[in-house]
Every structure is written in structure tokens, then in C-alpha cells.
Amino acid sequence: MTAEKARGGIAGGFDDESVRDALSLREQAMDEAPVGMVITDPGRPDNPITYANEGFIRLTGYSREEILGRNCRLLQGERTAAESVERMRTAIDAGEPVTVELLNYRKDGDPFWNRVTIAPLFDGDEVTNFVGIQQDVTDRRRRERELEREREFVEQGLDVLDDVFYVVGTEGRLRRWNERLREVTGYTDDEIEEMDVLEFVPADEREAITRSIENVLRGDPETVESALLTADGERIPYEFTGSRLTGPDGELVGLVGIGREIAERTRRRIILESLHEIATTIQTEESVDAVCERTVDAAADVLEFDLCSLLLCDGEWLVPRATSADAPVDGSRPMRLDQGLAGKTFRSGDSYLVDEVTPEGDADPAKDCYRSGFSVPVGEYGVFQAASTDTAAFDAQDVEFAELLVSHTANAIERLEREAALERQNDRLEEFASIVSHDLRNPLNVAAGRLELAREACDDDNLEDVARAHARMEALIDDLLTLAREGRSVLEPEPVDVAATVADCWRHVETAEATLEVETERSIEADPSRFQRLLENLVRNAVEHAGRDVTVTVGELEDGIYVADDGPGIPAEKREAVFETGYSERRDGTGFGLGIVERICDAHGWDVAATDGADGGARFELTGLEFADCERER
């Protein structure tokens, strides 16, 4: 509307002074507005600016004189979008309002983002003027751009993840996801958008996934393992995490999470479980060759080392004792201890991985077709080796698995060698006992017979001394044989009830007025007959040294038992000597009783020690025992 029309309309009800005041107030208000405002006249050529407020002058840097009479295009520049300009032109030609944001330039050439709103002013049906409102939105556009760049950065970061990223809405559909989901599943974005989240997991796991989603939406973060179904039906082991997701005002949006492929972790767990089972089987083998064969079979079947062998040291050579079924007949050969990677591994005790066999390397393969391999020590006994016709066929994890496998092999070989040595030791002890029994008892029997003839011929007190000497010699021979035989290692212990064995011993030993107290209900792993002899010797020792009315107590320790009495005890300086063969403070004692106790303990792998009892007497503690009822609460 023109100023004259405005004044005329107002004058209809007011005087001239009132009109002038109203117009002055309106113009002042427009000048003080925090935005730029202009009025243009489309009735004049090029629709020039006829009014500009102070806000427009501050915004553009132009003076009022430089603005009036010119078109608003004076704010445009080289980077002003032509599409935005065309939208404004089209709206002006049609006499319609329009709002656009475009890049404009101030008088000094400084660009700024201008939010322009143009609205027509009518007199009846005729457009008389246009009012334009300009607002500097540069800061807002900058913040938006920064946020956009940050969003793009995050999106890019999510897209390069090896893990699947997802946002699941409360309705059970994916609202956001990264490229990894498309890559893994083979679905397109359009297909994913139409799918329910449960369609990505197998039917037999959907119930568990549903419960997990419900828990997360209630506020409980979850981690669950499930297969991820691909478009072609492949099941890939995955681990999914989820956390509750809320909007700015706290409203529930859904859940956000990460899906991580765990195929390798699952494979590792399966292998470790299989190796554990194999370890148990290896320990039951009864020959070194069987142990080696079992090891190589496991390496081929579980670890998929198709070309492998196990070599054991024999003098100056490492000799193959087992080779995988798929290896060629001559796929392994004896190696000197200073030859090739096998010799280096055995001498150093270290594992070696060779990605590519070269002439200048340490490897000296049995076959020219072997291109890579590794070598692992089998304790101090030999070497395990795996080979491949491809380069870089193995990695550090393969070596790790092989090391774990052959550690069980080394333990089994050690056990077999130890058992063989114990058998040889037991055979020597038995041979010694037989010799002692035969070579000492025969002369003693002859002497005893001659003594009886002498007694018939005459009555001489000296003959009684001879008889006592014979009896002592008989006791010494019995104890010596016991000492030798009880030193044999126990190879097959069985559960033995401590209380029942003690009670049986008590009936077989001269205990006079002595009292027995048993304070344990445990069973131990032991040789029953030798454990009984041990207890008989300890009980007899207590009765003989602590008096006929002694109280003997058998109780329980954390890893064993004790036998104590309330007698005078054993001086600290003599507590080690009492176990020495032949040590006795009684004239008629053989000094073998406690020595036999120690030998029986050694044969079982136990420790025995003399110490003070609770009542001041002697206490013998047997430790290192294995309880047969170990599942019982202590």
C-alpha cells in the first residue's frame, strides 16, 4: 500500500495529527526491528526499493541513499544460487509469498546466508507493493553444516566398522544401520527397511532374542550370542549387544547396539574344548608310540594340519615316531640334533614359524614341495612339525594350538617314563628283598637249629643270650624287608577310609590301657595295606614311647591327617633323627619303625613331619594327601 493510500484510510476516522503520529510510530517500529525490511514498488521499472529500515542497512552495509531506487539483486554475487533467485522471481511474478535461503553479499563483499521472506501487499485485487524481510542465518547455517559434517563423519566411521551397527525401533524394525549389515547379509537397504529384526536370526533363536530386546528396552543392557542369517540362508555366529536409546526429552526411541562376528572365537573355543578332551585320552595311552600317534591324529583332525609329524630324540638323532595319514610316505625323515629347523627347535626349546622356505633359511624340509611350516618342541623329548605346500599357510595361533596339544604329549611321555622307572625301581627293591630274605634267613635258620641242639646237650645261661640275639636278628630282617618293600612307589592308589583303617590297626597292635580318638570321617587315595602298616607303626610308636595309658588322636588337616599322643613328646633337636634308619632310644628296638613310615609316605608322594601335639605330646603330620571324597564340603 502507498503512503498516500495509507494516510487516506487512516484519515477517515482520525485527524491529520493522529495519522502522522501513527505513521511515525509504525516507521519507528519498522526501523527498530531486529531484521532487515524493505518495501518495493512493482509498478515502477525493475521493482525498486522504496523503503529500507535500519536493520537492512546494518545487515548489508549499504547506506539508505545507495539502496533506494535499486532492485534487491544488488545483494547477489557469484555464489548466489540461481535456483533460489528463480523461485523468488516466479513468486513475485505470480504475486505470491515465498521464503528462501540464499547466499548474499554485503557491500564490502563479505558473504552471508540470508533468509528472505517476500510477501505481496494488495489494494483490492491489485498488488501495490512487496515487503521483504531479511534475516542473517549464517551462524545457524554454519552450525547446521558442522553438525552435518559431524554426522557424515560418524556415518563414515560406522560404515568402515568391521562390526554391524544398528538402531532398532520400539516396533522391532531397523531404523539405522551401517554398510557392514548389507555386506554381511547380502540384503539391500530397501529390503532391510522392510524387514523385522527377528528375520535376521534363525527361528530357533528368536525367542531368546525377543527376551533380550525386551530386557534392553526396560533398561538392562544385554549381550547375547546368535547366528546372523544372510539372504542366502547362511548362519554366521555373532555376538549382539544392546542398550536402551532415548530421545532429547527422554522418550523411548528403541535400542542401539553392535553385532560382532565371533566365528573365529567360536572356532577357538571348539578347538580348545576338543584339545582338552584329547588331552584326557592321550594320558590313558600305555605306550610312547600310541601317545605320538594320538597326537598326530589330533593335529590332523582338529587343527587341520594335514602334513605333520612327531619326532623324538634317540641318541644324536630326532626320529619320526608318528606321521599324519595324508603325508607322503617319505614326508618325514630322521634329523640330526644339529640339523634343520627340527634340530634348532629341540636345542633351543623354542617354537619357530616359517612363512616361506628359502635356501638360506634354517628349514631343511623332507620334501622340496614344502613351502611353509612350523616347529614346536615336545618338552625335552622331541619336536612336532607341520608343513604345507603353500606359502604363509600358518599363523601364530596355529603355533599356539600346537604348543597346547604337545604339552599334553610331553606330560604323557613323562608319565610313561616315570612309571617305567618306578617299575624298574620296584623290581630292584623286590630283588633286593628276595636276596636279603634268602641269604640272611638261611644262615639264621641254621644257627637257630644249632642253638636248639646245644640247649638239649647242656643248660647254659649264655644260650639265652644267643636266643635273644637270634630274635633280634629275625626282627631286623623282617623290618629290613618291610623297609625295602614299602619303598616301592604306589602306582594304583584307591579310596581308603581313614577311621575304619585306624580302628583295624588298633585291634592288631598291643595297646594295653591306651585310648583312641578319631576326629575325621574322610577317605584318602592310598595303597590300603601300606597305609595300614603306616598307621600301625605310628600307633605302636605312641604306645611304646608315651606309656600304656596314652591317648592317641587321629585328626584331619587341610591336605592330610595327623596322629598325635599326650605323652612326653619328642625334643625339637631329635625330630628329624627319629626317621633315620636304625635310630631308636629303646635297647630292644630295631630303629626301623618310623623309617618305614617315611618310606611309605615317599612311595605315595606324601610328606611326614614330627612336631608338638596339642597336649604336649608327639604329633606326626602326613601332608600332600589326596582326599577321595574331595567334593565334600570341608
Side-chain angles (χ1 to χ4, degrees):
M1 151 185 329
T2 64
E4 291 78 8
K5 290 178 181 178
R7 284 195 295 270
I10 296 173
F14 300 96
D15 57 26
D16 291 344
E17 185 176 354
S18 297
V19 171
R20 285 194 298 271
D21 289 343
L23 290 173
S24 176
L25 181 61
R26 182 178 297 181
E27 188 169 331
Q28 182 180 354
M30 292 175 63
D31 279 342
E32 295 299 325
V35 295
M37 297 182 65
V38 296
I39 295 176
T40 66
D41 185 354
R44 296 170 58 183
D46 204 23
N47 192 18
I49 297 171
T50 58
Y51 168 82
N53 73 344
E54 290 295 328
F56 187 83
I57 293 170
R58 289 192 301 269
L59 176 65
T60 64
Y62 289 99
S63 67
R64 187 170 278 103
E65 290 74 16
E66 293 174 308
I67 295 171
L68 296 177
R70 299 181 65 181
N71 189 281
C72 285
R73 74 171 65 90
L74 85 160
L75 301 180
Q76 297 175 19
E78 61 179 352
R79 291 165 54 198
T80 302
E83 308 88 65
S84 299
V85 174
E86 183 60 29
R87 281 184 58 199
M88 290 190 296
R89 181 179 296 114
T90 301
I92 291 171
D93 290 345
E96 297 174 348
V98 66
T99 298
V100 299
E101 290 185 6
L102 72 168
L103 192 67
N104 281 163
Y105 293 83
R106 296 183 174 91
K107 179 181 178 181
D108 61 5
D110 184 28
F112 69 99
W113 281 98
N114 194 3
R115 180 180 175 85
V116 179
T117 297
I118 301 174
L121 300 177
F122 290 92
D123 183 5
D125 294 333
E126 181 184 356
V127 176
T128 59
N129 296 94
F130 286 95
V131 60
I133 301 173
Q134 287 89 6
Q135 183 180 4
D136 188 348
V137 293
T138 303
D139 289 342
R140 194 206 73 202
R141 292 286 294 239
R142 181 181 297 113
R143 289 194 300 271
E144 290 176 350
R145 182 54 186 157
E146 288 173 355
L147 289 174
E148 179 65 19
R149 283 197 293 266
E150 290 181 7
R151 189 191 66 79
E152 291 175 354
F153 176 77
V154 172
E155 292 285 350
Q156 184 180 6
L158 293 175
D159 283 338
V160 299
L161 283 177
D162 287 335
D163 301 329
V164 172
F165 168 80
Y166 48 84
V167 174
V168 180
T170 55
E171 76 288 352
R173 291 184 179 275
L174 287 167
R175 297 178 59 175
R176 291 285 300 279
W177 57 88
N178 63 351
E179 289 185 4
R180 185 61 178 163
L181 182 62
R182 296 195 304 272
E183 294 172 356
V184 173
T185 63
Y187 289 111
T188 66
D189 283 335
D190 290 340
E191 290 172 326
I192 293 173
E193 189 172 4
E194 297 299 322
M195 294 173 66
D196 186 279
V197 69
L198 293 179
E199 295 181 64
F200 291 94
V201 296
D204 57 343
E205 298 183 6
R206 290 176 183 174
E207 183 177 348
I209 295 298
T210 299
R211 287 196 302 270
S212 295
I213 292 175
E214 292 172 350
N215 291 338
V216 172
L217 294 179
R218 283 196 299 266
D220 300 324
E222 286 259 338
T223 298
V224 62
E225 290 187 10
S226 171
L228 178 63
L229 280 181
T230 67
D232 57 7
E234 181 184 358
R235 298 168 62 118
I236 305 176
Y238 257 76
E239 177 185 82
F240 297 101
T241 64
S243 296
R244 195 169 188 263
L245 183 64
T246 57
D249 58 354
E251 83 281 7
L252 179 63
V253 174
L255 67 85
V256 59
I258 291 289
R260 177 162 297 169
E261 185 176 347
I262 57 172
E264 185 58 33
R265 190 174 77 187
T266 302
R267 173 179 174 270
R268 179 180 178 87
R269 184 181 69 241
I270 293 172
I271 288 177
L272 290 176
E273 290 173 352
S274 299
L275 291 180
H276 177 73
E277 295 175 1
I278 291 166
T280 303
T281 306
I282 287 177
Q283 297 303 323
T284 64
E285 297 294 351
E286 298 182 357
S287 71
V288 172
D289 282 336
V291 168
C292 294
E293 290 289 349
R294 178 77 66 175
T295 301
V296 167
D297 289 345
D301 297 339
V302 177
L303 303 181
E304 300 179 351
F305 301 155
D306 297 331
L307 307 176
C308 63
S309 61
L310 198 153
L311 301 85
L312 296 184
C313 180
D314 185 1
E316 296 299 315
W317 291 84
L318 290 167
V319 180
R321 298 291 288 270
T323 303
S324 57
D326 290 341
V329 177
D330 54 350
S332 182
R333 70 180 191 277
M335 307 280 283
R336 298 186 308 275
L337 297 185
D338 60 352
Q339 181 181 0
L341 198 62
K344 182 179 180 180
T345 300
F346 182 76
R347 295 193 311 273
S348 67
D350 297 325
S351 300
Y352 295 96
L353 175 64
V354 178
D355 287 332
E356 184 173 4
V357 175
T358 59
E360 62 274 9
D362 294 317
D364 185 8
K367 303 288 289 182
D368 292 338
C369 61
Y370 292 165
R371 293 289 177 266
S372 63
F374 66 86
S375 186
V376 173
V378 184
E380 59 183 22
Y381 304 105
V383 173
F384 172 86
Q385 291 191 304
S388 174
T389 56
D390 298 323
T391 59
F394 305 99
D395 57 23
Q397 183 170 262
D398 291 323
V399 176
E400 178 188 351
F401 286 146
E403 289 175 338
L404 178 59
L405 172 62
V406 301
S407 68
H408 302 307
T409 307
N411 290 338
I413 294 175
E414 180 183 9
R415 173 185 59 80
L416 290 170
E417 291 194 349
R418 183 173 63 251
E419 290 177 358
L422 291 176
E423 287 287 356
R424 291 191 296 270
Q425 178 185 0
N426 289 344
D427 290 344
R428 288 194 296 269
L429 288 173
E430 187 63 38
E431 182 182 2
F432 169 75
S434 299
I435 291 173
V436 169
S437 177
H438 181 270
D439 290 356
L440 291 184
R441 285 191 187 279
N442 282 350
L444 184 59
N445 289 336
V446 172
R450 297 294 185 183
L451 176 61
E452 291 301 320
L453 292 175
R455 279 178 167 174
E456 293 174 1
C458 63
D459 186 11
D460 188 340
D461 291 340
N462 291 324
L463 296 179
E464 289 301 320
D465 292 336
V466 174
R468 284 193 293 273
H470 285 175
R472 179 168 174 75
M473 290 177 66
E474 183 72 29
L476 285 169
I477 291 172
D478 286 341
D479 283 348
L480 183 60
L481 289 173
T482 300
L483 191 68
R485 286 174 172 150
E486 298 302 353
R488 293 176 299 173
S489 297
V490 176
L491 299 179
E492 297 182 3
E494 58 186 81
V496 178
D497 187 295
V498 175
T501 306
V502 172
D504 195 37
C505 293
W506 197 256
R507 289 192 295 269
H508 290 84
V509 175
E510 292 290 338
T511 54
E513 292 84 26
T515 301
L516 174 65
E517 295 182 357
V518 180
E519 299 177 351
T520 179
E521 298 178 355
R522 306 298 298 274
S523 294
I524 64 170
E525 294 287 343
D527 180 303
S529 62
R530 283 197 262 182
F531 181 58
Q532 180 167 334
R533 186 184 298 277
L534 178 151
L535 290 177
E536 288 175 354
N537 281 14
L538 289 177
V539 170
R540 186 180 295 109
N541 181 78
V543 173
E544 291 176 351
H545 290 84
R548 297 172 60 83
D549 60 349
V550 66
T551 296
V552 178
T553 303
V554 178
E556 182 180 322
L557 300 170
E558 182 177 356
D559 64 340
I561 62 173
Y562 66 84
V563 179
D565 62 58
D566 59 355
I570 304 172
E573 66 274 9
K574 295 182 179 180
R575 289 175 185 167
E576 292 187 9
V578 296
F579 296 105
E580 295 177 1
T581 302
Y583 179 88
S584 177
E585 293 190 348
R586 297 176 63 239
R587 293 186 60 186
D588 58 346
T590 64
F592 285 107
L594 293 180
I596 291 173
V597 169
E598 186 177 49
R599 284 294 183 91
I600 294 174
C601 286
D602 288 343
H604 284 83
W606 304 339
D607 293 318
V608 60
T611 184
D612 289 325
D615 298 322
R619 169 165 156 153
F620 293 90
E621 295 184 346
L622 281 63
T623 55
L625 283 67
E626 180 180 350
F627 289 109
D629 52 347
C630 57
E631 73 282 355
R632 174 180 175 272
E633 292 291 337
R634 297 189 179 184

